[in-house]
Amino acid sequence: MSQEAVPSSQPKGLLQQMEELMAALNADLSQLDADFGQSAERPAPAPTSADGSDRA
């Protein structure tokens, strides 16, 4: 069998890229989670009026 299909250096490069992308994704998700947690602590907005004047 031939081993010319994948050079030995390529998988390490792809693995490094995947690790960097996953780290960036985790950072983004952590920030979104923190933002969501802060917004959940705020009081809910007042309900719309019965006549629907707050609706678009």
Side-chain angles (χ1 to χ4, degrees):
M1 256 184 125
S2 174
Q3 294 189 9
E4 62 189 2
V6 179
S8 61
S9 62
Q10 189 175 2
K12 290 182 181 179
L14 291 173
L15 180 60
Q16 180 67 30
Q17 289 178 358
M18 289 300 296
E19 288 174 347
E20 291 173 3
L21 288 170
M22 289 300 293
L25 178 61
N26 284 333
D28 289 345
L29 290 175
S30 295
Q31 183 62 49
L32 285 172
D33 188 40
D35 292 346
F36 182 73
Q38 289 175 356
S39 67
E41 294 173 2
R42 297 180 190 148
T48 57
S49 61
D51 66 0
S53 61
D54 292 337
R55 296 182 188 159

